[in-house]
Amino acid sequence: MPRTYRKTRRAATTAATRQRIVDAAVGLHMSIGPARTTVSAIAERAGVQRLTVYRHFPDPSSLLRACVAHGWSSYPPPDHRAWASEPDPERRLRLALKELYAYYDEVGDALGVIVGDFRRMPELAALNAPHLARWERMRETLERGWGARSRRRRALRAALSLSLELATWESLVQREGLSREEAVELMVRMVRCA
């Protein structure tokens, strides 16, 4: 009886090589940015030849798509749906900002590098847009329950949006030296005043 050939070992090796390439590319994107990442650097970091990178990702778009998907699955932002169960809007905001600023502590520098390349790489911006739309849903979740109307509602929305921005965290924590807790409390007070 002839033995059937199974591609399981080869498939596993192929998948592992592909993942090493994506990991290498994501690491470079997070440190120097996608716009400055070269195929040669990816190949060197992954321990493969350039041809191997091209074999797995024949065009830059396919690699970029894989990197964006892997990046967001590896570093997901806090889930705004969990915050909705808190009925008090101020406590909800405090909880949200604690989680979001902890997330920024972990990935804020890398996220800033990647977002900084959006103007140079419109495709990168487009691929990330659905993921970054989560911040709009975060704001909508946090907006509930404040009882703000008309002009006050516009100010509340603006204050909430500002409190969620990566640039706000960068300014307060990295440049001004506030602790995460101090930054959270400052933003809660600002929103309360809005």
Side-chain angles (χ1 to χ4, degrees):
M1 177 182 280
R3 203 172 116 205
T4 47
Y5 175 68
R6 295 187 185 185
K7 294 182 181 180
T8 54
R9 185 181 303 174
R10 184 173 180 205
T13 302
T14 300
T17 300
R18 180 180 174 87
Q19 190 58 53
R20 275 201 338 266
I21 293 167
V22 171
D23 289 340
V26 168
L28 288 164
H29 290 177
M30 293 173 71
S31 59
I32 64 171
R36 288 181 269 308
T37 297
T38 64
V39 173
S40 295
I42 293 168
E44 182 179 327
R45 190 167 184 159
V48 299
Q49 298 296 315
R50 285 180 46 164
L51 183 59
T52 304
V53 175
Y54 289 120
R55 196 173 299 128
H56 287 273
F57 300 99
D59 59 78
S61 292
S62 61
L63 179 57
L64 198 56
R65 282 192 306 277
C67 290
V68 169
H70 179 68
W72 285 109
S73 67
S74 298
Y75 304 101
D79 186 357
H80 66 281
R81 294 170 297 191
W83 309 334
S85 63
E86 172 54 61
D88 180 81
E90 189 172 316
R91 282 199 299 260
R92 184 183 326 123
L93 175 61
R94 187 172 284 110
L95 169 69
L97 292 180
K98 283 180 182 178
E99 288 183 15
L100 185 61
Y101 289 3
Y103 174 73
Y104 287 155
D105 283 346
E106 182 182 352
V107 300
D109 292 337
L111 190 56
V113 169
I114 292 167
V115 169
D117 278 350
F118 281 4
R119 277 197 237 158
R120 283 177 273 201
M121 299 180 70
E123 182 182 11
L124 177 66
L127 289 170
N128 279 284
H131 302 283
L132 295 173
R134 294 177 193 177
W135 273 255
E136 176 65 20
R137 293 191 295 277
M138 288 179 192
R139 187 195 48 75
E140 291 168 356
T141 298
L142 296 174
E143 190 177 340
R144 296 183 195 119
W146 290 92
R149 302 267 187 257
S150 189
R151 283 179 45 195
R152 185 167 181 264
R153 185 167 187 229
R154 283 183 42 217
L156 173 69
R157 290 173 66 108
L160 287 169
S161 293
L162 181 63
S163 72
L164 297 173
E165 288 287 331
L166 173 63
T168 299
W169 169 83
E170 288 173 334
S171 176
L172 297 176
V173 175
Q174 292 190 323
R175 283 196 300 275
E176 298 301 327
L178 295 182
S179 70
R180 183 188 323 152
E181 294 76 21
E182 290 170 326
V184 166
E185 288 308 314
L186 180 61
M187 289 295 97
V188 169
R189 286 196 307 269
M190 180 196 67
V191 171
R192 190 187 316 131
C193 291

